[in-house]
Amino acid sequence: ISDFYFPSLTYYFQFWMSGAQTEYKRVAEENVTLPCHHRLGLLEPRSLDIEWLLHDSKADQKVVITYSGGNVYNDLNEGQKGRVSFTSNFLAGDASLHIVSLQPSDAGQYTCKVKNAGQYEWYRITLIVLEKPSKPKCWVEGELFEGKELSLQCNSASGTAPISYQWQRISDKEGKLGRLPPTARVNISNPGQVLMKNITQMVTGLYQCTASNEAGQENCVVQVTVQYARSVGMVAGAVCGVVAGISLVFLSVWLTIRRKEKKRYEEEEAPNEIREDAEAPKAHLVKPGSSSSGSRSSRSGSSSTKSTANSASRSQRTLSTEATPHITPPQYSRVKTEGREIDSKKVNHATLVKMGATPVMLPAQSRAFQTV
């Protein structure tokens, strides 16, 4: 470099160090123009080169837009394609960069480089893109009953830090904002949280949370309704009463169904029951030959036979109706006739015939006993 150009280069280098470092702050979705003015366009227009570079937060260098060989190239950065351009007549000395619809990814350090006929000019500009807080979310935590504790929560998911939060109470229907209840306390470590202890009906109302930063603000509203302890008890009692009533209805229906089933079962089983008749008369048994009447007449013999037949018929009726027959233990008695006892061993068949006795045929299995 000759001595002629050296002072010129020194001048421009000093200008870049002192006056060209500028910071711009813009809100996302807005437009911005980054200035870049030069004096090299008049030297040799055909050899003029202009280039804008971006150093983002990741220290990556990207080419934003260039002018070289008489052509403009503005689609080199995919993230800014279609959103960047030169503002005016860059050949005459104004190579400012215009960016529309700013995005958070547009933030970084921009460098404007102008070269012509071996001369250079540099300008560096820092662009800060501010993002408004996103619509915050409001909610209530805790028990909304008298004497309990609750907390109001507010949080914005995105936005440029720092984000501040402010809770206010909407005092009337017109939407006027007022102060929080005296019992409310803001959590210093988490400004989006408000704590309330020993709450009463006076706490009931609408509350608004405002999230704000340098770019702007957003807000949300939440309703707080504190219930009476007595009303809670009444509701619980009503619920219990309804449950008890439903249970009684179901129980009544179930008992009715059971009674009908039992009655139907008894009607179906009645023909199959075994009924117990009167107890059969007891029979008196004596051993043959143990005692007999010497003076028994033919009438007593015939009555004995009839008695035996009647007892047998009654016994047959009893056995037909009872599952288990009733057997009376045998009883033994001695027969007295006219005050005398007759020894059966001394009475033979001829003697009995003379006395008028009637012969009776006894079955083999009942010879051991004689029914009287």
Side-chain angles (χ1 to χ4, degrees):
I1 300 175
S2 64
D3 294 340
F4 178 81
Y5 291 108
F6 184 79
S8 178
L9 290 175
T10 303
Y11 169 76
Y12 287 118
F13 180 79
Q14 290 177 348
F15 179 80
W16 165 66
M17 291 295 294
S18 59
Q21 288 188 355
T22 309
E23 183 178 274
Y24 282 78
K25 287 185 178 180
R26 294 292 185 272
V27 178
E29 302 300 331
E30 293 183 351
N31 303 332
V32 65
T33 299
L34 304 180
C36 179
H37 300 278
H38 65 89
R39 307 177 193 180
L40 304 179
L42 300 177
L43 297 177
E44 185 64 39
R46 290 178 297 179
S47 62
L48 179 65
D49 289 333
I50 303 173
E51 184 179 46
W52 277 94
L53 302 176
L54 169 61
H55 294 266
D56 58 16
S57 58
K58 299 179 181 180
D60 295 332
Q61 179 175 292
K62 302 175 182 178
V63 179
V64 179
I65 188 173
T66 64
Y67 169 79
S68 179
N71 297 312
V72 177
Y73 304 93
N74 60 356
D75 57 355
L76 303 176
N77 183 7
E78 190 66 27
Q80 295 177 320
K81 188 176 181 179
R83 297 191 296 114
V84 295
S85 62
F86 290 114
T87 56
S88 58
N89 189 0
F90 52 88
L91 296 177
D94 187 2
S96 299
L97 175 65
H98 185 67
I99 307 174
V100 299
S101 186
L102 283 172
Q103 304 297 325
S105 59
D106 294 333
Q109 188 179 66
Y110 288 81
T111 302
C112 175
K113 293 170 53 177
V114 181
K115 182 181 69 172
N116 193 1
Q119 297 188 45
Y120 295 85
E121 292 183 9
W122 288 272
Y123 295 91
R124 286 190 176 179
I125 300 173
T126 301
L127 175 62
I128 299 175
V129 179
L130 302 176
E131 187 179 3
K132 292 173 59 175
S134 60
K135 181 75 174 180
K137 179 183 178 182
C138 297
W139 72 95
V140 181
E141 292 183 356
E143 301 181 36
L144 298 178
F145 303 130
E146 284 188 325
K148 302 295 183 178
E149 299 181 3
L150 64 82
S151 64
L152 304 178
Q153 303 285 343
C154 180
N155 182 62
S156 185
S158 62
T160 302
I163 299 176
S164 61
Y165 298 92
Q166 183 182 13
W167 278 98
Q168 292 176 295
R169 185 173 185 176
I170 301 176
S171 57
D172 52 27
K173 295 182 179 179
E174 297 180 358
K176 293 183 179 180
L177 300 178
R179 295 182 178 180
L180 295 174
T183 58
R185 296 291 182 270
V186 178
N187 188 352
I188 298 176
S189 60
N190 181 15
Q193 182 183 48
V194 173
L195 304 176
M196 298 184 188
K197 296 183 178 181
N198 195 22
I199 60 176
T200 62
Q201 283 288 316
M202 300 299 295
V203 176
T204 298
L206 289 174
Y207 293 83
Q208 176 178 291
C209 172
T210 302
S212 60
N213 61 6
E214 292 183 76
Q217 65 182 26
E218 291 287 347
N219 57 64
C220 60
V221 177
V222 67
Q223 172 71 45
V224 175
T225 304
V226 179
Q227 299 181 4
Y228 282 111
R230 184 177 61 181
S231 63
V232 175
M234 293 177 62
V235 171
V239 172
C240 294
V242 171
V243 173
I246 295 175
S247 301
L248 289 176
V249 171
F250 277 107
L251 181 60
S252 300
V253 172
W254 182 79
L255 290 176
T256 303
I257 295 174
R258 290 289 297 171
R259 283 197 297 268
K260 290 182 178 180
E261 290 180 352
K262 184 177 180 181
K263 184 176 180 181
R264 184 170 62 252
Y265 176 78
E266 291 177 351
E267 291 175 354
E268 292 176 353
E269 293 296 328
N272 299 327
E273 291 183 354
I274 299 176
R275 301 182 182 277
E276 183 179 358
D277 293 334
E279 183 179 359
K282 297 180 180 180
H284 298 279
L285 303 178
V286 296
K287 292 181 179 181
S290 60
S291 63
S292 61
S293 175
S295 62
R296 170 175 272 178
S297 63
S298 60
R299 184 177 56 186
S300 64
S302 61
S303 65
S304 176
T305 304
K306 291 180 181 181
S307 175
T308 301
N310 292 336
S311 297
S313 63
R314 283 196 303 269
S315 297
Q316 290 177 357
R317 287 196 304 269
T318 303
L319 290 175
S320 64
T321 58
E322 293 185 359
T324 304
H326 180 77
I327 301 176
T328 303
Q331 298 182 1
Y332 304 95
S333 62
R334 300 178 65 90
V335 180
K336 294 183 179 182
T337 305
E338 297 179 0
R340 295 180 303 164
E341 290 187 2
I342 303 174
D343 191 354
S344 61
K345 294 181 180 181
K346 298 179 180 180
V347 179
N348 55 20
H349 183 267
T351 304
L352 291 175
V353 171
K354 291 180 180 180
M355 294 176 63
T358 303
V360 178
M361 297 295 294
L362 295 177
Q365 62 271 19
S366 61
R367 288 180 180 178
F369 301 93
Q370 180 179 1
T371 303
V372 178

